[in-house]
Amino acid sequence: MESIGVLMASPVNPYLEQELDKRFNLFRLWEYPSKPEFLKSHSQSIRAVVGGVSAGADAELIQALPKLEIVASFSVGLDKIDLPKCKEKGIKVTNTPDVLTEDVADLAIGLILATLRRICECDRYVRKGLWKKGDFQLTTKFSGKTVGIIGLGRIGMAIAKRAEAFRCPVSYYTRSEKSDCKYKYYPSVVELASNCQILVVACPLTGETRHIINREVIDALGPKGFLINIARGPHVDEPELVSALIEGRLGGAGLDVFENEPYVPEELFKLDNVVLLPHVGSGTIETRQAMADLVIGNLEAHFLNKPRLTPVI
Ligand code: NAP
């Protein structure tokens, strides 16, 4: 397989790069000063693209690679891949589901606790020597609060199970009600937000879910409500979120993802009722290695004409 051209759109994981280098003819797009020049010289030899959360395979890249057979994403989210274009051209797509579910759900609970109990601010308080001057302010309880989840798939369900252990009544919104599900279903995001204290976003980013958190939803959640986003930044209308937090129309927010990451609205830096993370939902050594192994396994299976491990299309 050493002669098969594999293109990585952006750096995602050193172990993955090293293992792909051993097996394929790996091209790192970011190492080339000009993308058009790169494509002019190498487009005929690229048979696979490895994408991730920041770059995948858009219509332009797919169009520029006439020999492309497969896009293997180092992520479960497919929002950086033009799926209709892949379907139209018969290009296969794989992702990395399941192996990251626990880490992302763990992080969602961590973000809830950090936001409601102000754990990061407490840490800053101690480090700055402020404890000597007085006790830290009282915060608000997590256990028993109502949790609403948008998207009750692998990750949403894992968050629900964890929230149950904190005695939290769980409700959810998805496009259709799940049969055999013990959690309360609301047929709209606004109804869900009106009936929960902590709203967690855990659905895929699509045309339908872009800005699913808008002013109406934020106002329904209200000044005592908390928004937790571990899905994708563009789910949230960020200027609306920032103004609601500044004006006290929303209680607080815990965010792992941002609309234009790695750029984060600087107004948020001044607020104590937010916790800001650099998109680390699946960011453990163990999980990133499992994701890398899935990408490699999918590519090897495809080029050996065997069933892929985690096919999308
Ligand atoms: P999944 O198993 O496919 O679950 C997706 C859930 O979202 C399903 O319950 C689905 O139900 C629901 N959904 C789909 N479209 C919807 C819509 N328009 N409105 C409301 N709900 C909708 O996916 P997953 O493995 O749980 O992953 C979910 C997302 O988490 C990924 O797409 C990714 O963007 C994000 N993620 C983030 C990180 C991170 O590092 N922060 C890591 C991994 C994943 P219906 O089809 O019934 O609507």
Side-chain angles (χ1 to χ4, degrees), residues 6-13 16-17 20 26-27 29-30 46 48-58 61 65 68 70-82 86 92-96 232 288 291-292 294-296 298-299:
V6 173
L7 176 65
M8 265 185 121
S10 63
V12 286
N13 177 269
L16 176 59
E17 275 181 47
L20 288 174
L26 182 67
F27 296 93
L29 190 53
W30 64 94
I46 305 294
V49 165
V50 172
V53 293
S54 58
D58 58 14
L61 184 65
L65 299 173
L68 184 61
I70 180 167
V71 178
S73 193
F74 183 76
S75 69
V76 68
L78 300 162
D79 44 285
K80 294 286 185 198
I81 301 172
D82 191 323
C86 287
K92 298 188 169 89
V93 175
T94 63
N95 64 348
T96 60
R232 287 288 184 267
R288 289 286 166 87
M291 290 164 67
L294 263 184
V295 170
I296 296 158
N298 277 312
L299 289 175

Side-chain angles (χ1 to χ4, degrees), residues 76-79 97-98 100-101 104 107 150-156 173-176 178 202-206 208-209 212 230-232 235 256-257 279-283 288:
V76 68
L78 300 162
D79 44 285
D98 300 313
L100 45 65
T101 298
V104 184
L107 194 86
I150 304 175
L152 199 67
R154 289 169 291 241
I155 294 171
Y173 164 72
T174 48
R175 286 169 298 182
S176 54
K178 311 256 166 243
C203 60
L205 177 63
T206 62
E208 238 180 351
T209 61
I212 198 166
I230 50 78
R232 287 288 184 267
H235 284 308
D256 184 39
V257 286
H279 200 150
V280 290
S282 65
R288 289 286 166 87

Side-chain angles (χ1 to χ4, degrees), residues 3 7 17 44 52 64 142 178 189 196 219 241 274 280 298 313:
S3 63
L7 176 65
E17 275 181 47
Q44 294 295 328
F142 169 40
K178 311 256 166 243
V189 184
C196 71
D219 287 343
L241 175 68
V274 297
V280 290
N298 277 312
I313 52 172

Side-chain angles (χ1 to χ4, degrees), residues 256-277:
D256 184 39
V257 286
F258 299 87
E259 229 180 335
N260 188 28
E261 57 191 47
Y263 302 98
V264 175
E266 287 193 11
E267 298 100 307
L268 294 177
F269 298 170
K270 297 179 220 119
L271 302 177
D272 289 328
N273 55 346
V274 297
V275 174
L276 311 171
L277 304 184

